[in-house]
Amino acid sequence: MLTVRDLRTLPVLAAARTVAGEAGLDRAIRAVNVMEVPDIEEFVRPDELLLTTTYPLRDRIEDLPDLVTALHRRGLAALAVKTGRYLAELPPGVLARADELGFPILVLPESTAFNEVIGAVLAVVLAEYGADPARAEAIRERLTGVALAGGGLDEIARTLAGALARPVAVSDTEHRILGASGLAASTHPALDDSEADAWWRFPVTIAGRRRGQVLVGGAEEPTLGQRRLIRQACFAAGMHMAQAVASAELDRRMRALFLEELVSGTAANQSLLRDRGRLFGWDAARSYVVAIADAGTDPGESGDLAATCSTPPLPAGSIVWSRGRELVALVAWSDGLDLESTAEGWQSALAAAWKSETAVACGTVARSAHELASSHGAARESLSIARATGRTVVTQHMVRLERLLLAAPGDRLDSFVVSELGPLVEADRAGGARLCETLEAYLATGNAAEAARGLFIHYNTMKHRIARIEEILSVDLRDPRYRLSLAVALRIRQLR
């Protein structure tokens, strides 16, 4: 590229002087313009060299600092001023503004002819630009046509390679080759950093996000003429990738919709169910257990987590999809499966990936499509129990008591809690004595000393609290009937 710094090396500009903005001397110049009107800022383009005698501003020299600011904002490369006839010298305010902005200003001798400057600069720029490859317009149209017709990245790479007479490949952001000239994309390895550095790389972006790159081989940097075709190839590759992303997202949503219908019991008739199920990996002849993983907070791209975290801990043939902050799984069931260990493995993987207090709950075994809704309902109920009781993994056999309790009418459960624990709850609310917590710890261990250690209190404090509990509730905690009744009331209070 020709830079502002390089201008002084051109014979026609050997006598030019840089009077301001030296910080911008490495700006690229790709065209030349001449100032003939006062409002020139509307007509300049980025990377232009602007030539002027300041004649259009001869009566408004005080406007020059604002003009410099406007030209800098428009991306102009530099301003070259011929002094003498209309302006003896540039005002200090102009030079100060240019230095502040890093905007180069050159002063040309009065004898300099603009047409000679234009010819010299364009000769360098056009030589760097290089001639358009043969049939460039036809090639650009073909690249666009390939993308619109759903052509692959191999075809885009082959088309560009033929036009440039250079090797061409298309990769993702991890340097995995997605398409290349002369090879099937499926056989391409990923490039390491040193191999990727051996190519000229041009980004492929979709909606402002970089999704890959077009790689062009050859020792010489592509000319500007070749870069026009490369940019078109990047556009075509971006269209193809966008179509692939949209198609994958549509498939994901359709799959999730079908599976949601399946576990909710609203799916279509059996023959249609089997046909659609095969498309999404569901086997109508297989038994499944519905499992739900809840992140507690939004885990972000849960669709990606479903792909990366479901396969290793879950048996082959299992199906996972995302639902907001949850993942739902149809766990492939076999009679020898240790469901609790499987759920614990899945919970560990997801907790590590989501970095949250993830809970996993499993439903009942569904041996037909009709039983999936029941399994899903049981999993949802188990998840509520898990969150209420502070557990991270819950299977059906682990919560049989809780499910039995929750089967009773809610008002009867609340009435039982009040009758058994009411005075104790009121005492806690009035004095903050943590008596309900103490009672729960004592009943869980059956040993006052062990319960005291679990609550980080002194043994004498524990004994004093037990005595107060017996006094407030008028019970003898040595009586197993009272212990059972109070333990059930405490569990119902947790669940409710």
Side-chain angles (χ1 to χ4, degrees):
M1 298 296 175
L2 179 68
T3 66
V4 179
R5 191 186 304 278
D6 297 330
L7 283 177
R8 295 285 302 277
T9 66
L10 301 178
V12 70
L13 291 171
R17 295 179 294 116
T18 303
V19 296
E22 292 194 4
L25 290 180
D26 291 320
R27 295 185 181 197
I29 298 174
R30 293 185 171 86
V32 187
N33 202 344
V34 177
M35 182 176 179
E36 295 180 333
V37 293
D39 56 343
I40 188 64
E41 61 267 30
E42 299 297 326
F43 303 97
V44 297
R45 297 292 181 269
D47 302 331
E48 284 186 340
L49 170 66
L50 180 63
L51 306 176
T52 183
T53 62
T54 69
Y55 176 79
L57 293 174
R58 64 191 183 281
D59 299 324
R60 296 162 44 209
I61 297 302
E62 67 277 5
D63 292 343
L64 271 175
D66 292 337
L67 176 64
V68 166
T69 300
L71 295 176
H72 169 71
R73 288 175 178 169
R74 300 285 291 187
L76 202 74
L79 178 66
V81 182
K82 187 163 65 171
T83 58
R85 178 172 298 185
Y86 304 108
L87 182 67
E89 60 182 15
L90 291 170
V94 175
L95 304 183
R97 182 71 58 84
D99 281 332
E100 177 186 341
L101 299 173
F103 178 74
I105 296 181
L106 285 69
V107 171
L108 310 179
E110 188 177 359
S111 60
T112 304
F114 281 177
N115 63 328
E116 293 180 357
V117 176
I118 294 170
V121 172
L122 290 183
V124 176
V125 171
L126 291 176
E128 176 66 25
Y129 184 92
D132 263 2
R135 302 179 296 105
E137 189 60 35
I139 294 168
R140 282 192 286 271
E141 291 180 2
R142 182 180 175 189
L143 286 168
T144 303
V146 168
L148 291 175
L153 296 176
D154 275 328
E155 188 172 351
I156 292 172
R158 281 195 300 269
T159 301
L160 183 61
L164 303 182
R166 294 169 179 251
V168 173
V170 183
S171 76
D172 62 13
T173 54
E174 302 297 324
H175 305 321
R176 290 185 291 265
I177 301 299
L178 307 176
S181 55
L183 294 172
S186 60
T187 66
H188 298 156
L191 303 176
D192 59 32
D193 289 338
S194 61
E195 289 174 321
D197 288 340
W199 297 74
W200 302 101
R201 291 183 279 180
F202 301 87
V204 176
T205 59
I206 303 174
R209 181 178 177 183
R210 184 165 180 161
R211 292 287 188 173
Q213 54 202 344
V214 171
L215 306 172
V216 177
E220 298 296 326
E221 183 176 2
T223 66
L224 292 178
Q226 292 174 327
R227 285 169 181 258
R228 290 181 65 189
L229 289 182
I230 296 170
R231 283 197 297 270
Q232 191 70 26
C234 290
F235 172 72
M239 289 181 63
H240 174 85
M241 291 180 181
Q243 290 169 352
V245 170
S247 177
E249 177 62 15
L250 179 60
D251 286 345
R252 187 186 72 81
R253 292 188 179 185
M254 293 297 293
R255 178 175 180 268
L257 179 61
F258 166 76
L259 293 168
E260 288 290 345
E261 290 178 350
L262 197 61
V263 299
S264 66
T266 59
N269 62 67
Q270 287 298 304
S271 59
L272 183 58
L273 193 67
R274 286 191 295 271
D275 292 340
R276 291 177 62 195
R278 277 193 289 268
L279 295 175
F280 301 122
W282 176 65
D283 183 355
R286 171 169 252 162
S287 298
Y288 292 96
V289 172
V290 177
I292 303 174
D294 178 26
T297 57
D298 186 357
E301 296 186 1
S302 55
D304 293 339
L305 290 172
T308 56
C309 298
S310 63
T311 304
L314 297 183
S318 299
I319 304 170
V320 180
W321 69 99
S322 60
R323 179 199 286 165
R325 73 181 194 182
E326 296 177 348
L327 292 183
V328 186
L330 296 182
V331 181
W333 170 262
S334 59
D335 290 336
L337 179 67
D338 185 342
L339 186 58
E340 185 173 338
S341 296
T342 299
E344 288 174 351
W346 196 38
Q347 187 275 336
S348 297
L350 291 175
W354 286 344
K355 296 180 175 58
S356 69
E357 293 294 327
T358 303
V360 169
C362 300
T364 53
V365 178
R367 302 191 182 276
S368 69
H370 294 298
E371 297 177 359
L372 285 171
S374 176
S375 180
H376 178 260
R380 173 63 60 197
E381 183 182 54
S382 295
L383 184 61
S384 299
I385 294 171
R387 285 306 189 192
T389 58
R391 304 183 195 181
T392 57
V393 174
V394 170
T395 60
Q396 289 298 287
H397 80 275
M398 298 167 62
V399 291
R400 283 177 291 196
L401 173 63
E402 288 84 351
R403 292 180 65 207
L404 179 64
L405 294 175
L406 291 176
D411 57 345
R412 292 187 63 184
L413 293 175
D414 293 338
S415 176
F416 180 75
V417 171
V418 170
S419 65
E420 297 296 316
L421 296 174
L424 204 63
V425 173
E426 290 300 321
D428 273 352
R429 187 176 293 125
R434 298 168 61 190
L435 296 179
C436 288
E437 180 185 13
T438 302
L439 176 60
E440 185 175 2
Y442 174 69
L443 295 177
T445 61
N447 183 288
E450 186 176 345
R453 287 192 294 270
L455 294 175
F456 301 101
I457 59 177
H458 194 273
Y459 176 64
N460 289 336
T461 302
M462 187 70 186
K463 288 200 302 181
H464 173 70
R465 288 186 183 179
I466 291 175
R468 281 199 62 199
I469 291 169
E470 290 180 323
E471 179 184 354
I472 290 171
L473 297 179
S474 301
V475 298
D476 181 357
L477 291 180
R478 293 173 298 178
D479 188 328
R481 293 173 300 173
Y482 287 126
R483 289 203 303 270
L484 175 59
S485 182
L486 292 172
V488 170
L490 287 168
R491 180 59 80 189
I492 293 173
R493 184 167 179 260
Q494 265 192 329
L495 297 175
R496 298 286 291 165

